[in-house]
Amino acid sequence: MPSLPAPQLHLARTRQGKDVDVHRPEGPDAGLPVVLLWHGTSPDDRGVLAPLAREVAARGVVVAVPDWRADAPDAGRAALLGSLAWCRANAGAYGGDPDRIVLAGWSAGASAALGVALRPDVADGWRPAAVVGLASRYDLPARTTGTPPLTDLAEPTGLTNPTDLTELAELADAPEPTSPIDSAAGRPVAPVPVLLVHGTEDTLMGPEHSRAALHALTARGWPARLDEPAADHAGVIMAEFDPATGRCRPSDDERVRAQGRLSIRALTEAAGALTPGIR
């Protein structure tokens, strides 16, 4: 990957008392695209996303990475939605454009991000500019909404099994997309671009889960794409599992770090920034 100017790092805190790392590029003081990037279920684990966040920020994006805890009584909902409220209110202080926020996540954070796009009523009707999902399952309840994204996508379609790839593929091949998804507030939900990345070597939650999401999204007329690098669950974020701690940690292995290039591309592309040297 090319050598780019190191971004700045700022530390902030949400009203829920959760720390937020804000990575911002050198240069313009306003109008930059923003990515709000959520980690997975390891508690208060924003540091695992630091290498990925730095790479994206170096390409002209403000990247906010907040802590949250999946073991909270509400499964992390208040902290996740609180970080979204913080980002919308404070992105401008770091040179970001609050009207150009991409919602992204890894593992459980990815389904939480897609859940907000499918159920905007949980965020007062707010809509992300795009969603990026890295190595997740979408057939489990999203931490932000309490419902599986595949269920939200399938409910009005008559699908009997929203995780059945054959059924989803048949729906995706239909000549016309089905009707827009209705939010819990009873209003149609306008599609936003969704970029998915899932490693082919992921044995924790295989790429078939993102393939199912891709089929469901395109069947409903949402613009979506899936990239499948040769990476495991942690490799897509330039990390590796540490058996000693039972958590993932940023990797120093250049081969592992290179596995994150498609995630960098997806995040910067969704934000509308340039991706020099990323193919």
Side-chain angles (χ1 to χ4, degrees):
M1 286 182 282
S3 177
L4 299 170
Q8 302 172 9
L9 175 61
H10 303 266
L11 180 63
R13 182 163 290 180
T14 70
R15 293 183 65 181
Q16 289 74 32
K18 291 300 182 182
D19 289 338
V20 184
D21 285 341
V22 183
H23 305 261
R24 69 153 317 228
E26 297 286 351
D29 292 328
L32 293 169
V34 181
V35 169
L36 177 60
L37 182 58
W38 288 333
H39 64 73
T41 55
S42 290
D44 295 336
D45 200 25
R46 71 188 191 282
V48 75
L49 292 170
L52 179 61
R54 286 195 296 267
E55 289 287 346
V56 175
R59 290 165 170 81
V61 183
V62 176
V63 184
V65 188
D67 276 337
W68 67 281
R69 297 187 68 97
D71 58 358
D74 65 351
R77 176 185 172 111
L80 288 164
L81 295 178
S83 69
L84 173 56
W86 178 91
C87 190
R88 293 173 62 191
N90 294 280
Y94 301 94
D97 182 348
D99 294 324
R100 299 173 63 194
I101 298 176
V102 172
L103 199 51
W106 169 62
S107 198
S111 61
L114 183 56
V116 173
L118 295 171
R119 298 274 183 175
D121 47 287
V122 302
D124 299 320
W126 176 83
R127 308 293 288 135
V131 170
V132 178
L134 309 175
S136 190
R137 290 184 61 164
Y138 302 94
D139 59 335
L140 299 176
R143 302 286 172 150
T144 46
T145 66
T147 59
L150 285 183
T151 298
D152 288 334
L153 285 163
E155 279 176 346
T157 70
L159 288 177
T160 57
N161 182 0
T163 62
D164 186 317
L165 289 177
T166 301
E167 196 172 3
L168 286 164
E170 290 174 354
L171 185 59
D173 289 337
E176 296 292 338
T178 57
S179 59
I181 301 164
D182 288 335
S183 73
R187 293 185 294 272
V189 176
V192 300
V194 179
L195 301 182
L196 305 172
V197 180
H198 210 128
T200 57
E201 309 304 313
D202 192 335
T203 58
L204 182 63
M205 48 187 75
E208 66 272 11
H209 294 290
S210 287
R211 293 170 192 157
L214 176 68
H215 281 300
L217 287 160
T218 55
R220 300 306 304 276
W222 284 48
R225 186 185 79 211
L226 170 61
D227 293 326
E228 297 189 24
D232 63 13
H233 191 65
V236 296
I237 60 163
M238 309 166 66
E240 58 191 3
F241 181 70
D242 182 359
T245 62
R247 296 166 71 119
C248 294
R249 59 177 176 81
S251 179
D252 295 325
D253 188 327
E254 286 303 318
R255 294 170 298 179
V256 174
R257 293 173 66 86
Q259 292 174 0
R261 68 188 187 280
L262 291 181
S263 297
I264 298 169
R265 185 183 75 173
L267 289 162
T268 51
E269 182 179 325
L274 299 176
T275 55
I278 303 296
R279 297 180 175 84

